[in-house]
PDB file of all heavy atoms in Angstrom:
ATOM      1  N   GLY A 313      -2.882  -2.150   4.686  1.00 98.00           N
ATOM      2  CA  GLY A 313      -2.339  -1.094   5.535  1.00 98.00           C
ATOM      3  C   GLY A 313      -1.803  -1.705   6.825  1.00 98.00           C
ATOM      4  O   GLY A 313      -0.726  -1.338   7.319  1.00 98.00           O
ATOM      5  N   TRP A 314      -2.509  -2.696   7.380  1.00 98.00           N
ATOM      6  CA  TRP A 314      -2.074  -3.415   8.592  1.00 98.00           C
ATOM      7  C   TRP A 314      -0.670  -3.986   8.423  1.00 98.00           C
ATOM      8  O   TRP A 314       0.233  -3.772   9.235  1.00 98.00           O
ATOM      9  CB  TRP A 314      -3.088  -4.507   8.903  1.00 98.00           C
ATOM     10  CG  TRP A 314      -2.798  -5.405  10.060  1.00 98.00           C
ATOM     11  CD1 TRP A 314      -1.895  -6.430  10.094  1.00 98.00           C
ATOM     12  CD2 TRP A 314      -3.439  -5.405  11.387  1.00 98.00           C
ATOM     13  NE1 TRP A 314      -1.930  -7.067  11.321  1.00 98.00           N
ATOM     14  CE2 TRP A 314      -2.854  -6.453  12.108  1.00 98.00           C
ATOM     15  CE3 TRP A 314      -4.426  -4.615  11.939  1.00 98.00           C
ATOM     16  CZ2 TRP A 314      -3.232  -6.726  13.417  1.00 98.00           C
ATOM     17  CZ3 TRP A 314      -4.870  -4.908  13.221  1.00 98.00           C
ATOM     18  CH2 TRP A 314      -4.243  -5.916  13.962  1.00 98.00           C
ATOM     19  N   TYR A 315      -0.462  -4.720   7.339  1.00 98.00           N
ATOM     20  CA  TYR A 315       0.856  -5.370   7.162  1.00 98.00           C
ATOM     21  C   TYR A 315       1.925  -4.416   6.681  1.00 98.00           C
ATOM     22  O   TYR A 315       3.135  -4.694   6.939  1.00 98.00           O
ATOM     23  CB  TYR A 315       0.701  -6.589   6.244  1.00 98.00           C
ATOM     24  CG  TYR A 315       0.219  -7.767   7.065  1.00 98.00           C
ATOM     25  CD1 TYR A 315      -1.047  -8.264   6.929  1.00 98.00           C
ATOM     26  CD2 TYR A 315       1.078  -8.409   7.989  1.00 98.00           C
ATOM     27  CE1 TYR A 315      -1.515  -9.364   7.678  1.00 98.00           C
ATOM     28  CE2 TYR A 315       0.642  -9.482   8.731  1.00 98.00           C
ATOM     29  CZ  TYR A 315      -0.652  -9.912   8.577  1.00 98.00           C
ATOM     30  OH  TYR A 315      -1.070 -10.985   9.376  1.00 98.00           O
ATOM     31  N   THR A 316       1.583  -3.338   6.038  1.00 98.00           N
ATOM     32  CA  THR A 316       2.606  -2.347   5.756  1.00 98.00           C
ATOM     33  C   THR A 316       3.159  -1.756   6.987  1.00 98.00           C
ATOM     34  O   THR A 316       4.404  -1.653   7.127  1.00 98.00           O
ATOM     35  CB  THR A 316       2.031  -1.244   4.806  1.00 98.00           C
ATOM     36  OG1 THR A 316       1.540  -1.848   3.590  1.00 98.00           O
ATOM     37  CG2 THR A 316       3.097  -0.179   4.479  1.00 98.00           C
ATOM     38  N   MET A 317       2.284  -1.364   7.947  1.00 98.00           N
ATOM     39  CA  MET A 317       2.806  -0.833   9.201  1.00 98.00           C
ATOM     40  C   MET A 317       3.517  -1.897  10.004  1.00 98.00           C
ATOM     41  O   MET A 317       4.482  -1.586  10.700  1.00 98.00           O
ATOM     42  CB  MET A 317       1.625  -0.211   9.985  1.00 98.00           C
ATOM     43  CG  MET A 317       2.101   0.430  11.330  1.00 98.00           C
ATOM     44  SD  MET A 317       3.463   1.624  11.210  1.00 98.00           S
ATOM     45  CE  MET A 317       2.647   2.972  10.284  1.00 98.00           C
ATOM     46  N   SER A 318       3.090  -3.122   9.876  1.00 98.00           N
ATOM     47  CA  SER A 318       3.780  -4.199  10.620  1.00 98.00           C
ATOM     48  C   SER A 318       5.226  -4.346  10.183  1.00 98.00           C
ATOM     49  O   SER A 318       6.110  -4.653  10.952  1.00 98.00           O
ATOM     50  CB  SER A 318       3.010  -5.539  10.473  1.00 98.00           C
ATOM     51  OG  SER A 318       3.355  -6.182   9.249  1.00 98.00           O
ATOM     52  N   VAL A 319       5.476  -4.080   8.864  1.00 98.00           N
ATOM     53  CA  VAL A 319       6.862  -4.217   8.310  1.00 98.00           C
ATOM     54  C   VAL A 319       7.724  -3.039   8.884  1.00 98.00           C
ATOM     55  O   VAL A 319       8.857  -3.174   9.302  1.00 98.00           O
ATOM     56  CB  VAL A 319       6.850  -4.174   6.822  1.00 98.00           C
ATOM     57  CG1 VAL A 319       8.262  -3.984   6.245  1.00 98.00           C
ATOM     58  CG2 VAL A 319       6.240  -5.490   6.286  1.00 98.00           C
ATOM     59  N   ILE A 320       7.140  -1.805   8.914  1.00 98.00           N
ATOM     60  CA  ILE A 320       7.860  -0.688   9.486  1.00 98.00           C
ATOM     61  C   ILE A 320       8.257  -0.968  10.922  1.00 98.00           C
ATOM     62  O   ILE A 320       9.388  -0.776  11.331  1.00 98.00           O
ATOM     63  CB  ILE A 320       6.992   0.596   9.374  1.00 98.00           C
ATOM     64  CG1 ILE A 320       6.741   0.996   7.925  1.00 98.00           C
ATOM     65  CG2 ILE A 320       7.699   1.770  10.097  1.00 98.00           C
ATOM     66  CD1 ILE A 320       5.759   2.139   7.755  1.00 98.00           C
ATOM     67  N   LEU A 321       7.244  -1.452  11.707  1.00 98.00           N
ATOM     68  CA  LEU A 321       7.515  -1.661  13.111  1.00 98.00           C
ATOM     69  C   LEU A 321       8.363  -2.917  13.370  1.00 98.00           C
ATOM     70  O   LEU A 321       8.983  -3.016  14.441  1.00 98.00           O
ATOM     71  CB  LEU A 321       6.212  -1.728  13.890  1.00 98.00           C
ATOM     72  CG  LEU A 321       5.387  -0.407  13.878  1.00 98.00           C
ATOM     73  CD1 LEU A 321       4.226  -0.513  14.848  1.00 98.00           C
ATOM     74  CD2 LEU A 321       6.279   0.764  14.260  1.00 98.00           C
ATOM     75  N   ALA A 322       8.434  -3.823  12.438  1.00 98.00           N
ATOM     76  CA  ALA A 322       9.356  -4.935  12.552  1.00 98.00           C
ATOM     77  C   ALA A 322      10.808  -4.479  12.603  1.00 98.00           C
ATOM     78  O   ALA A 322      11.656  -4.977  13.334  1.00 98.00           O
ATOM     79  CB  ALA A 322       9.172  -5.915  11.421  1.00 98.00           C
ATOM     80  N   SER A 323      11.107  -3.439  11.821  1.00 98.00           N
ATOM     81  CA  SER A 323      12.472  -2.858  11.846  1.00 98.00           C
ATOM     82  C   SER A 323      12.717  -2.160  13.187  1.00 98.00           C
ATOM     83  O   SER A 323      13.807  -2.253  13.742  1.00 98.00           O
ATOM     84  CB  SER A 323      12.681  -1.911  10.644  1.00 98.00           C
ATOM     85  OG  SER A 323      11.822  -0.738  10.821  1.00 98.00           O
ATOM     86  N   VAL A 324      11.692  -1.461  13.688  1.00 98.00           N
ATOM     87  CA  VAL A 324      11.855  -0.828  14.977  1.00 98.00           C
ATOM     88  C   VAL A 324      12.052  -1.844  16.085  1.00 98.00           C
ATOM     89  O   VAL A 324      12.912  -1.697  16.982  1.00 98.00           O
ATOM     90  CB  VAL A 324      10.619   0.038  15.268  1.00 98.00           C
ATOM     91  CG1 VAL A 324      10.647   0.600  16.722  1.00 98.00           C
ATOM     92  CG2 VAL A 324      10.456   1.183  14.263  1.00 98.00           C
TER      93      VAL A 324
END
Side-chain angles (χ1 to χ4, degrees):
W314 176 284
Y315 277 107
T316 300
M317 182 51 68
S318 81
V319 169
I320 296 173
L321 295 189
S323 67
V324 173

